[in-house]
Amino acid sequence: MIRKRRSGDDGAPPQPGSLASAVAPATVEVTPRWLRVGDGFAATLVVTGYPAEVGPAWLEPLLSWPGRLDLALHIEPLPAPIAADRLRKQRARLESSRRADSERGKLADPYVDAAAHDAGDLAERLARGAAKLFRVGLYLTVHARTEDELLQACAQVRAAAASTLLEVQPATWRQLPGWTTTLPLACDGLRMLRTMDTQALAAAFPLSSPDLPAPLPGDPSATGGVLYGINPASAGIVWWDRWTQENHNSIVLARSGAGKSYFVKLEILRNLYQGVQVAVVDPEDEYLRLADAVGGSIVRLGLPGVKINPLDLPVGDRRPDTLTRRALFLHTLVSVLLGHQPPPAERAALDRAILAVYRAAGITADPATYGRPAPLLRDLAATLRADDDPAAATLAARLAPWVQGSFADLFDAPTTQAPVGHLVVWSLRHLPDELRTVGTLLALDSIWRTVDSPQRPPRRRLVVVDEAWLLMRDGEGARFLFRMSKAARKRNAGLTVITQDAADVLGTDLGQAVVSNASTQVLLRQAPQAIDAVGEAFGLTNGERRLLLSTRRGQGLLISGVSRTSFESIASDAEHALCTTDPEFVATLPDFGGNFEVDDL
């Protein structure tokens, strides 16, 4: 046994403040089969045998081994004359062996025949310049906390290597040179080399990193971001900060039951911890329990007594063009109510009536008047009826069902609930189909007014649109998503689009624009019928397509530009209780009653 103290190049103790004094272990204990480095143990293994043929990323089983493993690949190019001479001698030995066996009447050795054929093929590619030869050494250093754990870890690494037909041997009596060989010193102290050609060597490199790139020192993402989950391949943590990307938008695409809403609820919770203001368009009441638990606001459109006045001006907005922008929205609202854009004469009458009804309420272009009570939709219809223009009377008659008919319940009184708070959920489940489009437009308009309102200092806002395929079928909803995806970044906001129908999103120009303007893209389990369209839109490899067809609930891919990684959502017990929609589990939960605390997580 040899014990060495930490020292400099001359054997003397390192000077205080030097690099060696900061990173070198205090002692290194050397034995024939392992090292004790500081308070841990290490053993170096040498790859001595390789399979006859290898596929792409043939080192992946070793690179993805979950323990601590240092893998070093030392590459030395062989000069062309030396490579040609060695290959010529190798071919001569193989041909001589084959000829000797034939003269003695022995059966041909299949291994020798295969090696001679491979050598001839390699010589031909070398002559054409299609390949080069390299001397390659592959070494593995396994780390563990105790000697017993080290033995078990070495056995696991050898099993992982055997899965790709790699033969591994311990560097007996050479553990110290083996350890230094796997350090980033570019020094091969073992010299256990094997000749490889370009194709085999290139296949050794991993095609992609199993984890996202680590942030650089000083990068804001080094301190921000939220936990997305763990990487099933490497057991590493997937930590992502959407607010440091080119834009703050994301799209979550998955089949029904794949866990997309569960994942988004986790992201909402973890963004709320950091002071992000969140608004959710919820068609199926999946976010109500979460909003109740964290003290958020819920606007249940369609329930008795819930009123929305579309003529309300944005609270606190004192910009001179606020009234003009409200008038333009009312033109859009009337078009949605009628199902089409009214003819020019009716549009002109509507514009006159909008300005007149606001003047009658004492609201003008002067921002000082914006705080006065806004008129109602029935006041606008009455102003149209008072107009002498026949087009105005026609338009007033067409608006009658929404003013005094069966569809008037949503608009016949001032707004009953202000959508304010750190989390606002717009519930659309109770709206009848005839009012679903109008109610969605009102919710989106309120969210946009909040995002677009001037605020100092600006606060991060997250807009979540669940089941976006319902909106993509409607022209106004699709245009809202497009506008948000384009303009959200300039307003310190991010848009999250969740959908299970890839055709409605990827099959339209507006849907493709939403996808292309999302720097964060999350793909969970996909339906076989949609995987081709999804794979083409997101540039998925065949392996990634197979992954998305077979993943469990909550597993998928996180894609951002050229960076991508697989991940699995994880949650604490309290988070799981808020995010799950399993009916049997939900039935056993107590009522949070708004008493939820962040410390419960």
Side-chain angles (χ1 to χ4, degrees):
M1 181 181 299
I2 304 173
R3 186 183 300 270
K4 293 190 175 183
R5 292 194 311 163
R6 182 175 65 188
S7 62
D9 294 337
D10 56 357
Q15 297 297 324
S18 64
L19 178 62
S21 65
V23 302
T27 59
V28 177
E29 181 180 341
V30 184
T31 71
R33 302 184 69 87
W34 51 262
L35 299 175
R36 184 169 185 175
V37 182
D39 57 353
F41 291 79
T44 300
L45 306 175
V46 182
V47 178
T48 58
Y50 297 82
E53 295 183 1
V54 294
W58 54 275
L59 283 181
E60 184 63 26
L62 295 176
L63 295 174
S64 61
W65 184 69
R68 182 185 172 189
L69 176 67
D70 297 333
L71 186 148
L73 191 66
H74 290 264
I75 305 171
E76 299 178 2
L78 276 176
I82 297 178
D85 181 65
R86 291 186 178 181
L87 187 58
R88 184 167 49 253
K89 293 179 180 179
Q90 178 69 12
R91 294 185 64 194
R93 286 194 295 268
L94 293 173
E95 291 295 337
S96 176
S97 177
R98 294 175 61 185
R99 190 176 297 110
D101 290 342
S102 176
E103 291 176 354
R104 296 172 184 172
K106 294 183 179 181
L107 293 176
D109 188 339
Y111 295 100
V112 175
D113 289 342
H117 181 271
D118 293 341
D121 179 67
L122 179 58
E124 183 179 353
R125 287 190 286 121
L126 282 175
R128 296 197 310 265
K132 294 183 179 180
L133 292 184
F134 301 86
R135 296 283 286 168
V136 179
L138 182 57
Y139 313 102
L140 315 168
T141 295
V142 186
H143 296 267
R145 292 175 297 179
T146 65
E147 186 176 353
D148 292 338
E149 291 181 3
L150 181 64
L151 294 177
Q152 296 177 2
C154 289
Q156 295 174 3
V157 171
R158 298 182 72 169
S163 66
T164 55
L165 302 180
L166 293 175
E167 184 178 348
V168 176
Q169 297 295 336
T172 306
W173 293 107
R174 303 184 67 187
Q175 289 295 325
L176 184 59
W179 175 56
T180 57
T181 297
T182 56
L183 294 177
L185 303 176
C187 179
D188 186 356
L190 294 179
R191 304 296 298 171
M192 301 289 291
L193 303 177
R194 175 71 175 263
T195 302
M196 292 188 184
D197 65 341
T198 307
Q199 186 176 0
L201 181 58
F205 287 87
L207 301 181
S208 62
S209 172
D211 293 302
L212 295 173
L216 297 174
D219 191 334
S221 62
T223 56
V226 299
L227 175 67
Y228 270 34
I230 60 173
N231 189 328
S234 65
I237 293 176
V238 179
W239 190 274
W240 188 248
D241 190 356
R242 66 187 296 162
W243 304 103
T244 61
Q245 307 308 310
E246 295 178 352
N247 59 66
H248 313 322
N249 304 330
S250 69
I251 181 168
V252 181
L253 188 61
R255 67 185 302 177
S256 177
K260 55 185 182 299
S261 295
Y262 185 95
F263 162 76
V264 172
K265 292 173 193 174
L266 286 176
E267 186 182 19
I268 289 175
L269 268 175
R270 292 161 184 173
N271 275 280
L272 287 173
Y273 305 156
Q274 301 179 6
V276 178
Q277 187 175 2
V278 183
V280 181
V281 178
D282 182 10
E284 298 297 335
D285 283 0
E286 293 190 64
Y287 297 80
L288 303 189
R289 186 156 36 89
L290 173 61
D292 286 334
V294 302
S297 300
I298 303 175
V299 183
R300 293 178 171 88
L301 298 181
L303 288 184
V306 178
K307 309 293 183 180
I308 296 293
N309 182 13
L311 279 75
D312 283 336
L313 296 179
V315 178
D317 192 347
R318 293 295 183 264
R319 287 175 289 183
D321 63 340
T322 298
L323 184 60
T324 302
R325 287 185 284 108
R326 200 73 224 146
L328 294 176
F329 168 74
L330 291 175
H331 279 274
T332 301
L333 175 67
V334 171
S335 299
V336 173
L337 293 177
L338 301 179
H340 61 86
Q341 192 177 54
E346 294 184 10
R347 290 204 305 270
L350 176 62
D351 195 65
R352 292 195 305 270
I354 291 173
L355 297 178
V357 76
Y358 276 114
R359 281 197 303 268
I363 300 175
T364 65
D366 184 2
T369 64
Y370 292 171
R372 296 174 180 174
L376 300 177
L377 188 61
R378 63 168 176 257
D379 299 325
L380 178 63
T383 304
L384 285 170
R385 287 193 295 270
D387 195 322
D388 296 335
D389 189 345
T394 302
L395 182 59
R398 298 175 65 188
L399 290 177
W402 310 93
V403 174
Q404 56 190 13
S406 56
F407 299 153
D409 289 343
L410 191 60
F411 314 102
D412 60 358
T415 300
T416 57
Q417 183 177 356
V420 295
H422 55 281
L423 173 61
V424 178
V425 175
W426 291 83
S427 171
L428 308 180
R429 184 172 184 177
H430 301 283
L431 282 174
D433 292 341
E434 293 79 7
L435 288 175
R436 179 66 65 94
T437 302
V438 179
T440 302
L441 177 63
L442 294 176
L444 299 179
D445 170 69
S446 177
I447 294 173
W448 176 254
R449 283 186 289 165
T450 303
V451 170
D452 190 47
S453 64
Q455 188 182 54
R456 295 293 182 271
R459 185 177 182 181
R460 287 177 176 174
R461 295 185 177 97
L462 179 62
V463 180
V464 178
V465 181
D466 203 347
E467 301 297 348
W469 62 275
L470 294 172
L471 300 182
M472 297 305 298
R473 298 184 304 182
D474 173 64
E476 292 302 322
R479 278 188 285 273
F480 168 81
L481 296 181
F482 175 72
R483 179 171 59 174
M484 275 290 298
S485 66
K486 288 285 189 180
R489 181 186 63 84
K490 298 178 181 179
R491 292 161 174 82
N492 203 26
L495 172 67
T496 295
V497 176
I498 314 167
T499 184
Q500 62 181 356
D501 197 326
D504 282 343
V505 175
L506 302 177
T508 64
D509 293 338
L510 290 177
Q512 292 179 357
V514 171
V515 172
S516 62
N517 282 282
S519 291
T520 303
Q521 301 165 347
V522 177
L523 304 178
L524 303 179
R525 184 165 185 170
Q526 301 294 318
Q529 297 82 359
I531 191 61
D532 289 337
V534 173
E536 182 178 354
F538 294 92
L540 302 180
T541 64
N542 291 333
E544 290 169 339
R545 298 188 188 200
R546 290 193 296 269
L547 173 68
L548 294 179
L549 288 173
S550 60
T551 54
R552 302 195 306 268
R553 178 180 298 179
Q555 289 186 349
L557 287 176
L558 170 61
I559 303 174
S560 181
V562 297
S563 301
R564 56 186 64 200
T565 183
S566 59
F567 76 98
E568 179 178 3
S569 299
I570 58 174
S572 66
D573 293 339
E575 287 177 325
H576 178 72
L578 294 180
C579 300
T580 184
T581 55
D582 183 3
E584 296 182 0
F585 184 85
V586 172
T588 64
L589 295 176
D591 185 7
F592 284 96
N595 296 322
F596 180 79
E597 299 290 345
V598 173
D599 292 340
D600 292 338
L601 300 181

